Amino acid sequence: MELKRKILMLALVIIANTTFAYGPIGHRTIAKIAEYYLTDTAKEQIIELLDGDGIVIVSTYADEIKSDKTYDYTQMWHYVNAKDGESYEHSQKNPDGDLISAINKCVEILKDAKSSKEEKAFRLKMLVHFIGDLHQPLHTGRAEDMGGNTIKVKWFKKSTNLHRVWDSDMLDSKKMSYTEIAETMKRPPYINIDEVAKGNVISWYNESKELSYVVYNSVKPNENLSYGYNYKYYPLMKERINYAGIRLAKVLNEIFK
Ligand code: ADE
Ligand code: ZN
Ligand code: ZN
């Protein structure tokens, strides 16, 4: 009995650890970048809605509430698992929602003058997080490997999985704060903000889905990833984070006009 309980606990810990989205550094960096591009009026309205907090602090809220059973209904909002090569539109949808339907719902509620302040604040925190998740290619990955969570690899000899490499291992190993990482991002005129901000949730999803194939093909099972992998893929990681920040600002500026 005792052993069974221990095994169950261990399984729960493993499951809890595998479902984290971009780690805190990824989400905070994305929110920090978005702050560069927010309009003054958006900034003011957001601060008021969040009772003085900014989007950096609330960017990890959607992961923090996962340990509270009350919020179990939000678990599947962090990812979308359409089959490879299939459009989101034609894919079999999760009736409990997914990353794309969750983002659309957040935007709808935030734009609705009839929504309460409490509901808007909740949806804003979720939205800040989900635009980040949308840019992690494996959050648009395959159902059968849980977006790479069951693909075991090593990161500098330490056991991990492909999903976690892209959520946090690669970023954490830089040993930089979210503000420092944000400062390393390309800014105008070295990046065309209008060009990056083009499109919508579906076109950004399609981009991530295409990149999920690149990420899936980047490793062999049980491979030990180290400097070579970082050298090859960190530029893509940085680009995803930069794009997520720029697009988050676009979405928020559009809501808080
Ligand atoms: N996190 C947990 N399950 C997932 C899945 N099926 N796809 C992507 N990310 C996930
Ligand atoms: Zn998430
Ligand atoms: Zn994740």
Side-chain angles (χ1 to χ4, degrees):
M1 189 61 195
E2 191 51 24
L3 183 64
K4 261 194 193 161
R5 255 176 60 110
K6 276 189 184 151
I7 292 171
L8 182 66
M9 288 302 288
L10 188 65
L12 288 176
V13 167
I14 291 169
I15 291 167
N17 280 333
T18 53
T19 52
F20 253 61
Y22 267 135
I25 299 256
H27 282 291
R28 288 178 190 144
T29 309
I30 289 165
K32 180 78 196 162
I33 293 163
E35 281 185 345
Y36 298 152
Y37 305 111
L38 284 180
T39 60
D40 288 342
T41 152
K43 257 186 219 159
E44 271 169 34
Q45 293 178 62
I46 287 168
I47 292 261
E48 199 195 322
L49 199 50
L50 298 176
D51 288 330
D53 283 335
I55 55 174
V56 169
I57 288 302
V58 303
S59 67
T60 52
Y61 171 82
D63 277 337
E64 284 150 14
I65 59 174
K66 280 182 180 168
S67 52
D68 181 343
K69 283 217 316 280
T70 328
Y71 294 103
D72 275 0
Y73 68 97
T74 66
Q75 296 266 0
M76 60 293 297
W77 295 359
H78 294 254
Y79 53 87
V80 53
N81 292 138
K83 289 202 175 74
D84 287 359
E86 190 180 53
S87 69
Y88 173 74
E89 190 194 354
H90 292 110
S91 68
Q92 167 116 39
K93 312 282 190 311
N94 186 332
D96 297 324
D98 59 45
L99 183 52
I100 293 176
S101 66
I103 290 174
N104 289 336
K105 191 79 192 163
C106 288
V107 173
E108 186 192 314
I109 289 175
L110 283 162
K111 283 185 171 173
D112 186 348
K114 292 191 293 300
S115 309
S116 68
K117 182 181 175 196
E118 190 188 10
E119 179 69 3
K120 279 188 177 177
F122 174 72
R123 293 290 175 164
L124 173 58
K125 293 183 211 173
M126 301 302 269
L127 179 61
V128 169
H129 180 92
F130 291 150
I131 297 288
D133 280 351
L134 184 64
H135 287 77
Q136 205 285 46
L138 293 174
H139 276 244
T140 64
R142 300 169 184 149
E144 54 269 33
D145 55 37
M146 293 175 74
N149 271 299
T150 64
I151 300 176
K152 305 263 169 277
V153 292
K154 292 196 174 65
W155 181 252
F156 288 88
K157 307 256 174 81
K158 182 179 75 80
S159 291
T160 182
N161 65 65
L162 184 60
H163 189 101
R164 201 186 303 160
V165 167
W166 281 81
D167 264 359
S168 50
D169 290 329
M170 231 195 289
L171 283 166
D172 292 351
S173 72
K174 287 283 158 190
K175 302 253 184 295
M176 286 162 82
S177 67
Y178 71 85
T179 39
E180 287 167 340
I181 300 178
E183 276 164 18
T184 69
M185 294 296 169
K186 286 204 169 111
R187 302 273 291 270
Y190 300 101
I191 185 167
N192 186 334
I193 299 298
D194 294 336
E195 210 43 54
V196 175
K198 268 193 188 144
N200 53 42
V201 175
I202 291 292
S203 64
W204 302 336
Y205 159 76
N206 289 336
E207 187 187 86
S208 248
K209 183 74 179 166
E210 284 296 317
L211 287 168
S212 76
Y213 310 142
V214 174
V215 175
Y216 274 122
N217 288 329
S218 69
V219 295
K220 292 192 275 298
N222 297 311
E223 188 177 349
N224 178 40
L225 311 173
S226 64
Y227 296 107
Y229 192 84
N230 217 6
Y231 185 77
K232 191 161 173 195
Y233 291 103
Y234 190 68
L236 175 60
M237 166 69 74
K238 261 179 78 171
E239 185 178 271
R240 296 312 288 155
I241 299 240
N242 205 14
Y243 284 15
I246 292 164
R247 290 165 180 172
L248 174 58
K250 175 194 171 162
V251 170
L252 296 177
N253 287 337
E254 170 68 27
I255 295 170
F256 299 102
K257 281 199 273 237

